Amino acid sequence: MRAYELMVICDGDLENSEARKAMDEVQSRVSEIGEVASFDFWGMRDFAYEINHKTRGYYSVIELRAEPGAMDPVERYLRIADDVVRHKLIRLPDNEAQRRGLLDLGSANSQ
């Protein structure tokens, strides 16, 4: 298992409840292929620059564990989802994942 952090920005034109519903769908898809360690809905934030003629969006961060390559279907979904403005999936370095309590470094090195 590897540790990942997924940031998703939903369209700022949505209602708060619609943005949460969109993020519930993302979280559900992630749960099907991995383990969600934490989910943090940041709410509406201003963008640093305009994206697709939008200046605001709903930010969410999910920390998760999954097998290598398992997140490909989720990323494919995020690329085509109408409510998602941007997303970023990063694999956390093992020492950072251990610091966050997502991995036991001893078992991560043995795989």
Side-chain angles (χ1 to χ4, degrees):
M1 289 278 223
R2 293 182 175 167
Y4 297 92
E5 181 178 272
L6 174 63
M7 177 176 273
V8 180
I9 306 172
C10 289
D11 192 336
D13 292 340
L14 297 173
E15 295 293 325
N16 193 349
S17 60
E18 293 172 318
R20 285 185 177 272
K21 186 176 176 183
M23 283 310 305
D24 287 344
E25 174 64 22
V26 172
Q27 189 174 358
S28 171
R29 288 176 182 262
V30 169
S31 296
E32 290 174 4
I33 52 94
E35 301 171 31
V36 174
S38 71
F39 172 78
D40 193 10
F41 185 77
W42 292 4
M44 181 76 78
R45 302 284 171 116
D46 291 330
F47 295 156
Y49 54 89
E50 192 174 283
I51 302 172
N52 299 336
H53 307 291
K54 311 270 183 194
T55 58
R56 302 186 75 183
Y58 294 94
Y59 284 67
S60 298
V61 176
I62 300 173
E63 290 182 340
L64 63 120
R65 289 180 292 272
E67 293 297 327
M71 289 296 293
D72 293 346
V74 175
E75 282 201 285
R76 196 170 12 264
Y77 166 75
L78 291 170
R79 279 194 296 274
I80 63 172
D82 292 333
D83 296 337
V84 175
V85 177
R86 287 280 195 279
H87 75 279
K88 183 74 170 180
L89 177 70
I90 61 167
R91 178 180 174 213
L92 294 173
D94 289 342
N95 59 347
E96 177 63 18
Q98 183 186 28
R99 188 184 72 75
R100 295 185 188 189
L102 297 172
L103 283 183
D104 175 25
L105 198 55
S107 66
N109 288 335
S110 66
Q111 292 180 358

